[in-house]
Amino acid sequence: MTSLAPIAVALDAPDLETAARWASLVTPHVSTVKVGLELYLRYGPDVVASVRGASRVEVFLDLKLHDIPATVAGAARVVSRLRPAYLTVHAAGGSAMIRAAAEAAPMTKIAAVTVLTSLHDADLAEIGLAGPALDAVRRLAVMAVGAGAQALVCSPQEAAAVRAEVGPEITLITPGVRPQGSAAQDQARVATPEEALSAGADLLVIGRPITGSSDPGAAAAGIAAALRRTGAATR
């Protein structure tokens, strides 16, 4: 049996039926599907069951929670009933918030988002976060892991530095992954799938290069095959 590629396909679909169809097409090839904030707000918890279907695909619930610790704990407790493999919170919410989320959802990996991949150093200066991006990501990553985060979200350009800081046990998730020749679109800090895995990433978030294809299943299969050909890790 062919192992599944360590890819989380971002199901940023216009409706539930499309999201479920995309999920059914890609799950023979990838380990994970990602449900973002817009889709979750539109359809609620039903979306998780719809994209999971009858498969064993892992669901990455990308809600980027960011509030006071008690509120985030309550939200994490509620969504943990959906059995997501990963749930995102913003690392900028601080250690108490991250710890509250981890304690409220012990069967889910809390993934702390360090610095959004859409941000440049100038954006960090504008919001008052000391940069450059690499330094900010490393500081937030160390803090988040110390507070109980089991996964981190960073751009592939920071993956190697973050891996050196947090060690091998923490799952590194990298958005901003684009196959060679794909447009960067609204991502500022990007890399190819092969580059991201070589830098230490465990799970690659890929959306439009797969879901924007006329055949998302074939696109996912093609990226998975390319990773196998180059000897990149699969699971």
Side-chain angles (χ1 to χ4, degrees):
M1 177 180 175
T2 301
S3 54
L4 299 176
I7 294 171
V9 176
L11 302 176
D12 298 322
D15 53 66
L16 188 58
E17 293 74 19
T18 301
R21 180 172 60 83
W22 286 349
S24 68
L25 291 171
V26 304
T27 49
H29 313 291
V30 305
S31 67
T32 310
V33 293
K34 184 173 83 72
V35 172
L37 183 61
E38 181 179 355
L39 197 63
Y40 189 83
L41 288 178
R42 186 176 295 163
Y43 296 104
D46 290 347
V47 70
V48 174
S50 295
V51 302
R52 184 178 278 138
S55 73
R56 295 183 179 179
V57 69
E58 292 190 329
V59 175
F60 174 7
L61 199 51
D62 188 17
L63 302 184
K64 297 185 177 73
L65 302 178
H66 189 171
D67 212 309
I68 64 172
T71 298
V72 167
R77 189 174 298 111
V78 169
V79 299
S80 70
R81 299 168 189 165
L82 304 174
R83 297 179 291 109
Y86 304 95
L87 171 66
T88 51
V89 303
H90 269 295
S95 58
M97 187 203 78
I98 295 167
R99 187 172 298 108
E103 291 174 354
M107 303 305 292
T108 295
K109 283 190 175 183
I110 297 301
V113 179
T114 54
V115 174
L116 296 172
T117 53
S118 58
L119 298 180
H120 296 272
D121 288 346
D123 300 312
L124 299 185
E126 184 178 39
I127 62 176
L129 185 61
L134 176 59
D135 292 346
V137 167
R138 289 169 63 184
R139 289 196 311 272
L140 289 167
V142 170
M143 178 273 295
V145 169
Q150 294 178 285
L152 296 165
V153 181
C154 63
S155 97
Q157 295 183 11
E158 294 104 36
V162 171
R163 176 63 71 204
E165 290 279 4
V166 302
E169 301 303 319
I170 301 299
T171 300
L172 292 192
I173 303 169
T174 55
V177 175
R178 293 287 186 271
Q180 194 70 45
S182 297
Q185 294 165 313
D186 56 358
Q187 304 288 346
R189 307 190 317 280
V190 301
T192 67
E194 295 82 1
E195 290 168 343
L197 288 177
S198 295
D202 296 300
L203 185 63
L204 315 178
V205 178
I206 305 177
R208 286 163 286 190
I210 292 175
T211 59
S213 166
S214 59
D215 187 342
I223 296 173
L227 293 178
R228 286 193 294 273
R229 284 196 301 272
T230 58
T234 54
R235 58 183 62 176

